Amino acid sequence: METSSPQTTGQKVFLETFGCQSNALESGHVASLLLKDHFSLAPRAEEADVILFNTCSIRQHAEDKVFSRLGQLADWKRDKEGRVIGVLGCMATSYKDQLMERAPHLDMVVGPDQYLKVPEVIRQASRTGQSQVLADFDPVYFPENDPNRLSQPHKAFIEIMKGCDKFCTFCVVPFTRGREVSRPAESVLEEVNRLAQAGVKEVMLLGQNVNSYGLPSFPVRKFNNGQLGEPSSPIPMDKETGLGLKSRGGTLPFPQLLREVGQVPGIGRVRFMTSHPLDLSDELVEVMAEMPTVCQSIHLPVQCGSDRVLKRMGRKYDVAHYLGRVRKLRSAMRDLFITTDLIVGFPGEAEEDFQGTLDLLEEVRYDAVYSFKFSPRLGTPAARMLNRVPEEVQDQRLARLNEKAWNHASESCQARLGLVEEVLVDGPADKTPGAFYGKSRQNRTVVFPGTGYRAGDLVKVKVESHKVANLYGTVLKTNCEL
Ligand code: SAH
Ligand code: SF4
Ligand code: F3S
């Protein structure tokens, strides 16, 4: 790759992330590409020559924030020659050049599969004022961590697959991220080994549906119907069979990949997300229960507790299947930490459907719940459904749901009182002077008083209280081994 020219050496880039863990991982990747190319990173927008937003399209609110930030930057851009503004991430693939129309002072729009070009695109924009839109998908490209430039020294996200073929009717991801592609296992294991040698102790394997990692493809042609975000490059697809090229060979079933990652020397904790309930196999449950390095925590989005609504969401399972999977998990792991995502106010959701969601919460008693009001996404089938739930009904349902979920989360914290948690230290606690924080094996935040701890230290903490979803306690033992 070309090194930076004298005009641009030392340009400072402010990179702000709005999206999910995949976006956060990719921001780290972009940051390390920029540093390698002689850019530096600015901690605040005010100090920057280049402002990049790594964006999310999942809900309207996420996009509104970015449009408003872009609007505020028109004067900033005019104030000094050579300044550059860029949009990365999912809004780049969902809007492409339409973004330039909405924000004419924007210089670059770069989608998630084109990040290797970011340094060069910035240089060109800064030198010539030329704007560029690069939003094609590339099934071969996967972002990898640079072990020398990790944002945290002790843990890392690893992308094992990308895209999504599930096409839930409310969701924009299949359009912003393209067809599902699994990364070859060898490449995943190489990255994990490299990171472990650099001192990483915990890895989170990431994908929209990790449970379908390496599974055979299914036909995708019927979805290629010109909806929003249809890739401008051809969808990776086998021309003869019409099958999406989910796996380019060299993959394993997900439980086996998990087992292999869990055996990499030096890796003491393995996590994964997101699990789709449809593909959650008994083998996965066995690996979670058996492998001491695989953390016994699972994010298992249910979205709704009504079969009628689940069907219209296109989730491809019913409540009985979901509860069956939860029972299987719980019977294999006594101490399982289980979290979910829920959407309230999906079009046509009646009070009795919502009651089904409350009943499901009562049955599962999640350790944590992430709840969202339905947000219509342009180009998705649900956005065209007519029977929208009024805003105030959505608000009331969200409040009722959150109250119940909150009580369960609080009970789940109380159940930890008096127990000893193994905590991997992240650093000093921002809000509690003289204290540090880290994560338990279940991924709960644990805060404890102390001095001199470093990120990556492992300590045992006796839990004495909890506030919101955080546990508080005192250290019983330091310098533990994973
Ligand atoms: N692949 C994951 C979810 C990724 S998106 C899965 O299938 O579970 C994260 C969450 O955002 C979803 O679980 C869903 O709860 C929420 N979400 C997605 N689209 C949404 C929309 N249009 N409106 C509201 N919430 C949405
Ligand atoms: Fe979206 Fe459904 Fe795919 Fe999850 S499984 S990313 S909700 S389409
Ligand atoms: Fe993630 Fe948002 Fe894209 S959730 S995949 S950044 S739409």
Side-chain angles (χ1 to χ4, degrees), residues 18-23 55-59 89-90 172-173 176-177 208:
F18 290 83
C20 60
Q21 274 90 348
S22 297
N23 267 34
T55 60
C56 174
S57 282
I58 203 80
R59 284 169 290 274
C90 286
V172 80
V173 171
T176 64
R177 295 283 171 157
Q208 289 298 344

Side-chain angles (χ1 to χ4, degrees), residues 58 163-174 180 208-209 274 276 301 303 313-316 343:
I58 203 80
C164 182
D165 285 350
K166 286 277 190 288
F167 287 89
C168 302
T169 57
F170 51 81
C171 183
V172 80
V173 171
E180 192 171 294
Q208 289 298 344
N209 289 302
T274 300
H276 191 287
Q303 310 300 357
M313 285 178 160
R315 288 293 287 182
K316 305 178 181 77
I343 295 179

